[in-house]
Amino acid sequence: MKVFTRFMLSATDEAHFPKPELPEIAFLGRSNVGKSSLINSLVGSKIAKTSSTPGRTRTINFFEIRFPGRPKPDLIFADLPGYGYARVPREMMEEWPKFIEPYLQRRTSLALCIALVDANVPPQKSDAQLLEFLRAQDKNTIVVATKADRVGTRLSASIKALQQELGTHRILPYSSKGKLGSAELWAEIRSATSPV
Ligand code: GTP
Ligand code: MG
């Protein structure tokens, strides 16, 4: 889908967050799972910085999204730092909970949490912990299995294992390379953010 985007700001502190005036979508998941790439593939341009080195995104980066024909921005996308990568355990242990948990708990405009898991790796404890946290907070959440283009014929088995281990019946396969899942994810975003 063609949308208009604008980078708003990078925040390292709650005080810098944009005013919670638009419905916000948060992209969550382990370092390197493909959060920034997924944002770029959804909007069709390279607004979020990506890297093959885990831990690229260190701040919460906010982007305004405007649908064609609309006079003002419709949504905010929040690209979050990753957690739980083996090589950056300190962040997971210290920084992530201190910075991201308050964001998740207190961001009043948060309309949908998109939790990314890697379709190529077995279910991870850190992913299960995040989903448990989101459930406990009663957050509207959808799980997306990224890098589906790499899985090949094992995709349905891999999704099944993730469903079982993570206790989530709905997991959307996604590829930022081939755009698999893009239309479905936009539909989820639309339904989570459009007025009833
Ligand atoms: P952090 O900001 O470090 O937490 O990582 P991130 O989750 O934002 O990951 P990022 O989007 O930077 O992508 C990490 C790596 O995975 C990059 O090398 C991407 O090219 C690759 N990647 C991301 N999505 C896909 C995908 O759908 N398919 C394939 N094959 N590679 C992907
Ligand atoms: Mg990133």
Side-chain angles (χ1 to χ4, degrees):
M1 180 158 51
K2 182 67 203 146
V3 295
F4 298 95
T5 57
R6 185 179 74 88
F7 169 72
M8 301 174 81
L9 57 93
S10 294
T12 50
D13 189 282
E14 215 174 334
H16 305 139
F17 293 167
K19 283 198 185 109
E21 288 168 344
L22 291 172
E24 192 159 299
I25 315 293
F27 296 81
L28 296 148
R30 284 184 305 125
S31 300
N32 208 242
V33 72
K35 299 173 292 295
S36 302
S37 303
L38 184 145
I39 290 178
N40 291 341
S41 90
L42 275 177
V43 303
S45 61
K46 294 200 169 163
I47 49 168
K49 290 195 182 104
T50 63
S51 165
S52 53
T53 312
R56 176 65 184 81
T57 308
R58 297 286 176 124
T59 52
I60 303 185
N61 300 323
F62 295 90
F63 302 92
E64 257 172 14
I65 307 294
R66 182 170 63 82
F67 296 120
R70 305 267 299 173
K72 287 184 189 161
D74 296 282
L75 307 172
I76 292 178
F77 279 4
D79 187 13
L80 281 90
Y83 56 84
Y85 197 85
R87 271 184 281 161
V88 282
R90 271 188 150 247
E91 258 120 316
M92 177 194 155
M93 299 300 291
E94 295 167 15
E95 221 173 279
W96 209 88
K98 263 193 270 167
F99 180 36
I100 312 294
E101 285 185 11
Y103 165 83
L104 292 171
Q105 282 164 332
R106 292 206 283 270
R107 189 73 173 152
T108 51
S109 53
L110 190 55
L112 179 66
C113 294
I114 300 185
L116 280 68
V117 295
D118 191 328
N120 298 271
V121 300
Q124 301 286 303
K125 203 170 170 198
S126 53
D127 295 329
Q129 280 169 347
L130 172 72
L131 290 174
E132 221 168 88
F133 176 84
L134 295 173
R135 253 176 240 134
Q137 300 287 325
D138 225 4
K139 296 294 170 198
N140 190 14
T141 303
I142 175 158
V143 180
V144 168
T146 59
K147 308 189 186 181
D149 54 286
R150 286 197 190 152
V151 191
T153 53
R154 293 173 294 112
L155 186 60
S156 64
S158 152
I159 299 282
K160 214 172 205 173
L162 288 166
Q163 282 170 331
Q164 275 169 2
E165 291 284 324
L166 301 174
T168 317
H169 60 283
R170 259 209 92 208
I171 298 187
L172 190 67
Y174 199 96
S175 168
S176 297
K177 305 267 173 194
K179 296 222 165 180
L180 170 77
S182 173
E184 290 84 351
L185 194 52
W186 268 121
E188 295 284 345
I189 291 168
R190 289 281 208 169
S191 86
T193 55
S194 44
V196 240

